[in-house]
Amino acid sequence: MKLEDVVTVKIGRNLSRGNEKNNLNVVAYSYEDLIKDLDGSFLDSKANEYSGYSNHENGYLSHAGEVVFSFVSSRAGIVSDFTQGKIINQNFAKLIIEHDELDSSYLCYALNESYSMKKQMAISMQGSTVPKLTPSILKELEIKLPTLEKQQTIGRAYFFLRKQQALAKKQAKLEEQLYLEILRKLDH
């Protein structure tokens, strides 16, 4: 089934246009925010699932539990408590799940790691000077939906793995700092 059959793609706001006065206090959701959200911080969020879609003026704001997709990096993540409240700009889209049989964490896994999805993306972007996924290409991607239970298992395991990787990276950085500090003290 096509992604557009189960997901509505809401493209972010063009922050370079419009009334500049409104943009003074705007903090845009960034690639760094997406990477933080992929570190599994969503697992620690109070809101493990976003329960509704805001259609009014702050429909461009990120809410904990929403799935966001970067057109530049072709990566998806789930907004955590730490990155919510930021404006989704035109380099991102909210992927609003319209199907009861699709788990948000599985959707991220499928877009980020599924061989089938990566292959479809690569073929769609062939010949592009700047390989960048477009909203229309994204909507046309074919997604396979295992049972909801299986999706939830895969999705939870994926984000648990991402969190473990982030913690291991953080631990290695702290160990490096500790050893370098000890070496500096020994050198004096």
Side-chain angles (χ1 to χ4, degrees):
M1 101 178 15
K2 289 185 179 174
L3 199 57
E4 70 181 345
D5 296 334
V6 290
V7 168
T8 297
V9 177
K10 181 176 178 10
I11 301 163
R13 184 173 168 190
N14 186 342
L15 297 181
S16 62
R17 290 189 191 154
N19 189 344
E20 291 303 315
K21 290 178 193 168
N22 291 344
N23 293 338
L24 292 177
N25 295 326
V26 167
V27 178
Y29 188 87
S30 67
Y31 178 72
E32 288 75 25
D33 292 325
L34 177 65
I35 296 305
K36 282 181 199 169
D37 289 342
L38 273 171
D39 282 351
S41 56
F42 167 70
L43 297 173
D44 301 326
S45 278
K46 291 177 192 130
N48 270 352
E49 223 58 40
Y50 180 62
S51 57
Y53 164 62
S54 58
N55 205 356
H56 47 358
E57 66 185 49
N58 67 355
Y60 290 107
L61 288 181
S62 60
H63 298 280
E66 287 181 325
V67 177
V68 291
F69 181 83
S70 167
F71 291 112
V72 177
S73 67
S74 298
R75 306 278 295 159
I78 297 176
V79 176
S80 67
D81 290 342
F82 309 109
T83 59
Q84 73 175 344
K86 297 184 177 186
I87 296 281
I88 303 294
N89 68 35
Q90 70 273 13
N91 291 327
F92 292 90
K94 288 184 182 185
L95 302 183
I96 301 150
I97 296 172
E98 304 286 356
H99 195 281
D100 292 341
E101 296 299 312
L102 177 59
D103 180 71
S104 58
S105 53
Y106 176 78
L107 175 61
C108 291
Y109 162 78
L111 287 167
N112 295 341
E113 307 299 334
S114 162
Y115 174 76
S116 167
M117 294 287 258
K118 283 185 172 193
K119 185 177 176 183
Q120 290 177 67
M121 288 180 200
I123 290 169
S124 298
M125 292 188 291
Q126 276 182 346
S128 300
T129 313
V130 179
K132 182 177 170 183
L133 213 61
T134 64
S136 58
I137 293 171
L138 181 64
K139 291 175 186 176
E140 291 296 312
L141 294 176
E142 291 284 333
I143 186 168
K144 293 177 184 150
L145 295 183
T147 65
L148 188 57
E149 186 179 334
K150 195 171 189 178
Q151 287 179 47
Q152 290 167 338
T153 301
I154 292 169
R156 272 195 301 272
Y158 174 63
F159 275 97
F160 181 75
L161 170 67
R162 298 289 312 194
K163 184 173 185 173
Q164 290 303 106
Q165 289 172 330
L167 290 173
K169 219 182 271 186
K170 190 174 186 178
Q171 180 180 354
K173 183 86 172 148
L174 290 172
E175 286 175 5
E176 177 187 15
Q177 290 171 352
L178 175 66
Y179 282 112
L180 289 174
E181 186 60 34
I182 291 170
L183 292 174
R184 281 188 207 101
K185 287 184 179 180
L186 288 172
D187 194 29
H188 282 95

